[in-house]
Amino acid sequence: MDKILEGLVSSSHPLPLKRVIVRRVVESAETPLSQAQCRAMFALGTRLVLQGPDPFQRQVGRQVLDAYGRFHRAEFEAFFNRGLVLGLLQRGYGELSNRDPAILDYIQAGLRLIMSCPSVLELFELLQVEALRLVCERPAPPLCARLCQLLGDFPQCLPRGRKLSLAFCQQLVRSIAHFQSQGTREAELRLYVSQVTQVSALLRSVWKAEPDTLLPSLQELFAVISAADTSFEPSVALASLVQHIPLQMITVLIRSLTTDPNVKDASMTQALCRMIDWLSWPLAQHVETWVIALLKGLAAVQKFTILIDVTLLKIELVFNRLWFPLVRPGALAVLSHMLLSFQHSPEAFHLIVPHVVSLVHSFKRDGLPSSTAFLMQLTELIHCMMYHYSGFPELYEPILEAIKDMPKPTEEKIKLILSQSAWTSQSSSLPSCLSRLSGKSETGKTGLINLGNTCYMNSVIQALFMATDFRRHVLSLNLNGCNSLMRKLQHLFAFLAHTQREAYAPRIFFEASRPPWFTPRSQQDCSEYLRFLLDRLHEEERTLKALSSAKSSESIMNEESQAQEAVHKTQVFTEAPCMGSEERTLIEKMFGGKLKTNICCLNCKSMSQKEEAFTDLSLAFCPPTSLENVDPKCMEHSEVKDDYVAQSNTLATSPAAETPLSNLEVNHGCDTIMNEGTIEDFSSEPNSENTTISELKVQNNGDMSQSLVGKNTLSVTDLLNYFLAPEILSGDNKYYCEKCASLQNAEKTMQIIEEPEYLILTLLRFSYDPKCHIRRKILDNVSLPLVLELPVKRATSPLAVVSGGWSVGVEISDTGENLAKKLKPSGADEVTCPQLVPYVLSSVVVHSGVSSESGHYYSYARNVTGSGPSGLCHQSTALSLVSPQDKLFTEESPCTVVENELDTEMPREWFLFNDSRVTFTSFQSVQKITSRFPKDTAYVLFYKKQNSTCGFNTNPANGLWVNGDPPLQKDLMDAITKDNKLYLQEQELSARTQALQAASASCSFRPNGFDDNDPPGSCGPTGGGGGGGFSTVGRLVF
């Protein structure tokens, strides 16, 4: 029968005829046959299955084996024995290699036929060994997939015992790593993917049945992808295994992997790069989840070098995956994380910038809902990156044009995304027992490290930095090649805006800006430092302008005219720098205002006038005992019970201003009040003669005492109204009138004729006690209005006086001997009403302590631009500073107004800058600071004029400014990028050192420390609080 059948199937008869005859032969299998006949039929069937030249003959062989094996099972059991199977697996069959999948097809068919026979158990044992041998020989995908199919159908053939089972799983992982697709056509690729899927499915079933094999398998997987052997590149088919790893294990696996000291950086880098390559695998799920988890885990343990290297190596590959719809979701997730977390340098983002436009156009052409959704996500990502790395219009303008029709995220959303994505904010994604990063606080603001009692500088710098328009002007200056103080301030502002450090150490700026009479590492007066700093910046800019003008003249003049012109130009800048707005210095533009002082002789009615520039107005207190000596007739309209000093820091505008307005001292029942910064101090600095301090030391105010008797809390409005109130010069303080040639009673009035963009107010809290010969601090609480209106009486016609000097023919002599006494205004008041200019509180510098020689400074601040923060530009209720000639107070109580203002306050818009620590706070905290902490009192206030942009474009058309700030110059950006990388390296080194020192099973914690080593309210050399402890958890050895 076997010979007839063999001849038939190989004959040239028509195929239908051969099929009919074959069917009859198969049907005759039921008839009894001898053992030899059965063996012959089994041998023929085997030969046809394994060596048949065409599908028909192989089909006939399977039919013969199946039919005769079922009806003659005992004979087939004897034929399909251990020797046959072992020979097939080790030697093959004839010319057929033992690595041909047809061998496994035949064995699987034979196992089905003898499943009920006792001998099958022997074959199972044989196949357990042979299966392990096969995977150790790294079978090709077709053979490995066929083996896995056989083992899936017959799990009894899987290697048994923990040792063999572990070895099988590990070797199967390595076999997958060697898989390579043999074709490039779609059908071939689909077949390859299905083969890989079969293999990974078998591993999943083994892991599920024997959970102990999972972790060793993953260890083997990591060993494969972390190998540094460049001659072998593991297959991306390994990505098919990721979807079978339970996501519940992600935390413990990533923690173990990133904290294991046995895992070297090179191995981790290689492994992470290869995992990112897995994004190309079409059917794998959760690859992006594991990649992002590993990136976050590395950031949490501060291994930033790995993150930087991997991002720069793979960012373009990840971006290119967005072209393929099948892998686009995972690729976009990884791309977003990599870009948003890489915040120390634009390098990674700029690698993909050239490819963005073409991808956007491709998405638009698709018109598919999925493409549109991905385009919206990509657009949001691109906007975030362009916002963070502004200053490259030549790169970004084509992108902006391409995505102009897409929705743009709000600035608040962009800030939130960036703050949550930085590497220094990743520690929250892992358990708290990992060390806490010392990156930027949740506020996104940078602190300043205390360099040793330098809180007076830190608080002032933070207030200036938060003066938004001033900061933008400073950052926009082109100061390349200049080593000026302004350049150092620009450098400091740039780092405060862009560094990733929690706190920055301003050593260079401190050394450059410290007044020479300030003793290093000792507490100083922040108000005095502020005046010195602004004066230095002002004088420096004037000098540079003069030198620049003189230098430009040299190119068009001969030698003689050069010298003359240089002298002339220098004189012009020295004598009248403020004649035109374009010639004013930045300090004058931002903080400069003008006061006009009028003194009218009550005898001859002659008038003397003087205009005086100022950068801050200072108000001081006087003991209430001074009111005992006030004439009751002078109390008729009085509203302030304390004497005060009105002190203004003035910028020189002509040589005449070098002679300061003399101190008008009063000791009529009142202790002398003086600020820490004295004019003697100022004059010790070169060029400081051009900056004068007018100190009007007044005993009492007859117009402002009465209504404040019984008031518990003064307000800034009270002191400013008092500053502007008129005073009568009489008695011992009579005015010498040149026209009368004698001392006469006179009326003195002060008016603000030009308001500053930023109004700086200093409350003079340090008084000299002549009895004890010490400086005491006045701890009186002062209410701070959130909104106020400043009366400004602008000049309507040119004055007949030189700016900064007294009127012609008027001489004020011996004013230091005269006493000023503020009385009820006379009828000499001007009729014109001043213009009320609205201001909003921007910053408050607080002094904590009881004396000027000790204590601590910190500041409250918020971002206020010309239009002000939302909710504050259109206040219906405001504290007004009305003209002293009209009415000194508004009807509404300051406290009531403050409560109304608080209702409109935006949440989390106030910041507390305490050296290296920056936290969110509220205006309520600012207002209540003294009531809660009696030694903490507001000292220097910054108010921002509303409805003004200072001539500065804060909304560029392309929106390419970060936080609305101008783009940084290249050298500044390079310096920041370099420092950010250095910071990441420092953090990484610290984390590694900490990990090495940590006990393997201990967990220790130390609480967050105070910003200084000294007690609260003091100022010490250290900065930065403590962090959480570190512990190692039960580790997995990768």
Side-chain angles (χ1 to χ4, degrees), residues 833-907:
C833 294
Q835 178 183 352
L836 298 179
V837 179
Y839 280 81
V840 171
L841 185 62
S842 170
S843 302
V844 179
V845 179
V846 175
H847 178 263
S848 175
V850 295
S851 75
S852 59
E853 290 80 16
S854 64
H856 180 59
Y857 288 102
Y858 56 92
S859 56
Y860 293 93
R862 60 174 175 165
N863 286 310
V864 179
T865 59
S867 59
S870 58
L872 293 174
C873 320
H874 49 275
Q875 298 258 357
S876 59
T877 308
L879 284 178
S880 301
L881 294 176
V882 299
S883 169
Q885 289 86 352
D886 299 328
K887 188 175 182 182
L888 294 177
F889 277 91
T890 54
E891 296 296 332
E892 192 166 6
S893 166
C895 296
T896 304
V897 177
V898 167
E899 292 301 323
N900 293 339
E901 291 163 352
L902 294 179
D903 292 338
T904 63
E905 182 187 353
M906 298 298 291

Side-chain angles (χ1 to χ4, degrees), residues 479-506:
L479 300 173
N480 285 336
C482 177
N483 193 31
S484 62
L485 183 60
M486 182 64 79
R487 171 65 171 174
K488 293 179 174 63
L489 181 63
Q490 184 186 60
H491 186 276
L492 177 54
F493 278 5
F495 269 80
L496 286 177
H498 296 277
T499 186
Q500 288 197 326
R501 295 181 183 273
E502 179 186 33
Y504 180 73

Side-chain angles (χ1 to χ4, degrees), residues 443-471:
T443 64
K445 303 296 181 183
T446 304
L448 287 170
I449 294 175
N450 194 312
L451 304 176
N453 286 313
T454 58
C455 58
Y456 67 90
M457 176 190 71
N458 292 347
S459 58
V460 165
I461 293 301
Q462 294 287 17
L464 290 174
F465 178 80
M466 294 297 287
T468 307
D469 291 335
F470 176 64
R471 178 183 72 246

